Amino acid sequence: MDLARRDWDYIVVGGGSAGAAIAGRLSENPDRLVLLLEAGGGDFFAPIIMIPGLVERAITSRKLNWHFAGEPDPTLNGRSLTWAAGRVIGGSSSINGMVYGRGLPADYAAWVAAGNPGWGWQDMLPAFKKLETWNGVAHFSRGDDGPVHVRRFNETEAACEATMQAFINAGVPYVEDYSIGISHGIGRTQATQRRGWRHSAAFAYLRPARRRKNLRVATNTRVDRVLLSGTRCTGVEALRRGVKIMLRASREVIVAAGAIGTPKLLLLSGIGAPDALAAHGILPRHELPGVGRGMNDHVNIKISAFVDTPTYNTARSGLKGLRHGVDLIARGRGAVSLRSANPAAPPRINMPTLSSRDDVDVLHEGCALTLEMLHAGPGKKFNARIYAPAAGRMNKAALLEFFRETAALNWHPTSTCRMGPNPADGAVVDSTLAVHGLSGLSIADASVMPAVTSGNSNVPVIAIAERAAGFVAARNN
């Protein structure tokens, strides 16, 4: 089928976690003609994707991962970090660690406090329930017939059990299910898996829809611009098989290209800060100064030790290593901007990882607690020999240098087209995810989050997509 020869009701840009969910939901109505465009490939059944044990190969694959590179970071001694982002149908849900986490009620309360009514925990709960089939202890907060299958990691190994018990002995409550709105405790990780296989958004939402005549999924199709006629979005310009094509959307274009890809696309389309656009010779079409600004992520520090027992790391490295991570929401904010007006050029990402003194203080506290638990748990039982940070580097100054040498990000970028009421304050979309000042254009991915949630971002992104499908349908009835 020639994609350009027909008018689509909806065009979804990006076939990742959000895009797959939106296209799947919108196409449930046979009267809607839906086109899903993905720049990467379409083989979400590949063994490297489906087999959980191959997750590191999936993440490091140049075929499956965009590997966005950041600019040299002065807060990390000039090191450049990279961001993983899925380059295949299912997006990052096809290459991530499969960790299921909704975040905390306080996360969503903060979204509401930032001027986004209708985005609190109780507002999000129906979307969380709708998206999942929970294969665990039943609870009114869990879903039982959604497309994404979720289970708890029941596999145990001695070092993990000893570590968890050390936290419990220190007074941290054990939590059977951390996804029901509990804000404090320790428990076993939940995962997006079914019968031992990865259960990506593509598998969950698109596989059941593959025979729908009103849904077309086009892979290896790069969207270079959204098209505007005055203040209305009318479609997109894309590159497919080396040919530039114009695709029309009679109702709405939904951009779901991720916290890095979405602002890049808007900027290429002339949507953003006029001075930033003019610097690349791009004609400003719609002023929204917040596009690309306010990038948020989790900063990560690893404390490592050798222990006299096998661990989860053994299968990956051949060493009896134990790694405890310290993750926190980085208060420092970064930005995604254009490197050039060439759509094929990678974006420029500036993320001052340790720019916030508060972040550094929390990392110090987290490292101290982690070292204490390491000694109290597997340290005693399995003869832990800490090698990172090295002995003698435990004071604040030495630990700060350790952070600068080793800090990484958890690949949970958010907030580059954030939701809020006032474009002058940097908001890009309103509380229904419609782009401020434009009709026929909305955004539904991690870029709209006012701040990253307290945990892995994949499931909140899918929940945002579930809600977006409802907003889009309501706007176009």
Side-chain angles (χ1 to χ4, degrees), residues 21 44 100 172 186 221 225 280 338 382 405 466 470 477:
F44 62 87
Y100 182 103
V172 177
I186 188 169
T221 303
R225 293 173 184 84
H280 295 287
L338 295 179
F382 304 117
E405 293 171 356
E466 287 276 8
N477 277 343

Side-chain angles (χ1 to χ4, degrees), residues 70-151:
E71 298 298 296
D73 184 348
T75 74
L76 299 181
N77 296 338
R79 288 189 296 125
S80 296
L81 301 182
T82 60
W83 279 262
R87 193 176 187 172
V88 64
I89 283 286
S92 294
S93 73
S94 291
I95 66 169
N96 66 5
M98 295 160 282
V99 175
Y100 182 103
R102 293 174 170 179
L104 302 178
D107 299 332
Y108 303 101
W111 291 12
V112 173
N116 300 292
W119 285 90
W121 173 261
Q122 292 300 324
D123 304 301
M124 291 291 287
L125 191 57
F128 286 131
K129 294 176 66 175
K130 184 178 181 180
L131 72 85
E132 72 175 18
T133 290
W134 166 237
N135 297 287
V137 177
H139 189 273
F140 73 88
S141 295
R142 301 308 303 249
D144 58 8
D145 62 352
V148 180
H149 281 249
V150 186
R151 73 174 185 93

Side-chain angles (χ1 to χ4, degrees), residues 288-415:
L288 278 177
V291 173
R293 299 178 182 175
M295 185 176 181
N296 202 199
D297 205 331
H298 292 123
V299 64
N300 173 272
I301 297 292
K302 289 186 175 66
I303 295 175
S304 306
F306 294 115
V307 291
D308 293 340
T309 186
T311 72
Y312 287 137
N313 304 128
T314 304
R316 299 186 302 194
S317 66
L319 299 174
K320 292 181 179 178
L322 178 67
R323 296 187 179 95
H324 286 251
V326 178
D327 297 317
L328 61 90
I329 299 174
R331 291 173 177 81
R333 295 277 184 156
V336 175
S337 58
L338 295 179
R339 194 172 300 276
S340 79
N342 180 0
R348 179 175 281 114
I349 307 172
N350 286 285
M351 185 70 189
T353 309
L354 298 180
S355 60
S356 167
R357 185 71 238 181
D358 288 341
D359 283 349
V360 174
D361 289 343
V362 173
L363 280 174
H364 279 131
E365 294 175 13
C367 280
L369 178 61
T370 301
L371 288 166
E372 180 184 342
M373 291 302 102
L374 181 59
H375 286 301
K380 287 183 177 179
K381 191 170 183 178
F382 304 117
N383 188 28
R385 287 88 71 195
I386 297 170
Y387 63 88
R393 299 187 66 181
M394 300 302 183
N395 63 64
K396 275 201 168 184
L399 279 176
L400 176 57
E401 189 57 29
F402 174 66
F403 300 158
R404 288 173 173 162
E405 293 171 356
T406 65
L409 294 167
N410 266 15
W411 302 329
H412 301 151
T414 68
S415 312

Side-chain angles (χ1 to χ4, degrees), residues 200-215:
S200 69
F203 201 96
Y205 287 93
L206 297 181
R207 185 171 180 266
R210 64 192 185 281
R211 292 189 178 91
R212 293 176 189 164
K213 294 181 180 179
N214 63 322
L215 173 64

Side-chain angles (χ1 to χ4, degrees), residues 141-297:
S141 295
R142 301 308 303 249
D144 58 8
D145 62 352
V148 180
H149 281 249
V150 186
R151 73 174 185 93
R152 193 180 73 169
F153 276 121
N154 292 316
E155 298 83 351
T156 60
E157 51 86 41
C160 177
E161 293 299 306
T163 302
M164 186 163 65
Q165 190 59 51
F167 277 93
I168 294 170
N169 292 344
V172 177
Y174 173 74
V175 175
E176 177 69 26
D177 182 356
Y178 58 72
S179 292
I180 59 175
I182 295 173
S183 60
H184 178 62
I186 188 169
R188 289 181 175 83
T189 302
Q190 297 168 15
T192 50
Q193 293 181 4
R194 185 182 188 187
R195 296 173 183 167
W197 302 96
R198 176 192 294 276
H199 211 241
S200 69
F203 201 96
Y205 287 93
L206 297 181
R207 185 171 180 266
R210 64 192 185 281
R211 292 189 178 91
R212 293 176 189 164
K213 294 181 180 179
N214 63 322
L215 173 64
R216 175 69 189 275
V217 179
T219 57
N220 299 302
T221 303
R222 188 188 73 206
V223 176
D224 291 343
R225 293 173 184 84
V226 298
L227 303 175
L228 299 180
S229 177
T231 59
R232 178 163 184 82
C233 179
T234 58
V236 302
E237 175 187 310
L239 186 71
R240 179 170 170 81
R241 298 170 182 164
V243 177
K244 185 182 295 186
I245 56 176
M246 307 294 179
L247 302 169
R248 298 180 298 274
S250 62
R251 294 188 177 183
E252 198 156 327
V253 171
I254 305 99
V255 179
I260 296 173
T262 288
K264 176 188 173 184
L265 175 59
L266 265 60
L267 292 169
L268 287 170
S269 307
I271 303 170
D275 55 345
L277 299 171
H280 295 287
I282 297 173
L283 177 67
R285 302 294 305 275
H286 185 67
E287 183 174 356
L288 278 177
V291 173
R293 299 178 182 175
M295 185 176 181
N296 202 199
D297 205 331

